[in-house]
Amino acid sequence: MNSYKLDLEKYAALARQAVAEGCVLLENEGQALPLRDGERVAVFGRMAFHYYKSGLGSGGWVNTRYVVGILDALKECEGVHLDEKLMGIYEDWIMENPYDEGQGWGRVPWCQKEMDVTEEMLDCARRDDASLVVIGRTAGEDQDNNAKAGSYCLTETEEDMIRRVCEVSKRTVVVLNVGNIIDMSWVQKYHPQAVLYVWQGGQEGGNGVADVLTGKKIVDAKGTLVSGSMANNGAVSGTIDGLTTTSYSVPAGYTSGGSVSLTSDIEEALAAI
């Protein structure tokens, strides 16, 4: 019988590549991405400290040997200088506001409590070269999505964070660590320079996202442009809580091919190693 040895390093590299190729770049105004070598970066959002590798339930209970989050990966990137003061502020707050595991199997909340942005935190954004804002969502086990704040819609605290960071930052990049589409109306309100859907990428997720943020992987316009766009510019419909047939309507944030800026120049910039 032939023996087969599982090459874990090879599988990790392939998983990392899949994450990077699956990212969808919806906005990149003025070539906000990739991050430049030597830049100082302020990272906002508690979900930068707790990456959603997957959704809930049986899929979420896969026993991974490790999970690399977005912040974990950025810390290992040479040339990216993260704002230590801002990270310390979040770490202290998270100690007092730990991750909510929910009550029972598959009952983790769709989103976690977010920290209110302070002037001290905004001072970090003012002095740094770029700001990343990480928004996270999870779902699963018959509670996939609904048209409420903390699910399809942003919470007031999340929207306020994006608004205030956009007002003071030289460049704002919003990173969406989500398993489904969410309301995008805030893009037109606050005009972040870049918006990147990174989905839920498993145990190598953070590494794949960092590869895109730093320009080590190309975001391909063929395919990602289509899969990352909503079908029309009126409304989309869906079911509430997965088991009902009740429909709701929400404004589409992106149309097919509309308001999506992916050019060969941006692709070339992102391909730079």
Side-chain angles (χ1 to χ4, degrees), residues 40-44 49 81-93 115 118-125 127-128:
R40 288 178 54 84
V41 180
V43 181
F44 287 84
F49 295 81
H81 304 296
L82 301 178
D83 194 305
E84 298 283 348
K85 180 178 180 180
L86 182 57
M87 286 195 296
I89 292 172
Y90 270 107
E91 287 166 354
D92 290 343
W93 182 84
M115 182 180 183
T118 66
E119 279 300 315
E120 182 182 21
M121 297 164 72
L122 292 175
D123 283 340
C124 297
R127 68 168 179 257
D128 292 336

Side-chain angles (χ1 to χ4, degrees), residues 47 50-54 99 110 112 136-138 177 200:
M47 295 316 298
H50 189 105
Y51 176 71
Y52 282 135
K53 67 174 176 57
S54 64
Y99 182 84
W110 284 315
Q112 296 289 317
R137 289 289 185 275
T138 191
N177 174 205
Q200 297 167 345

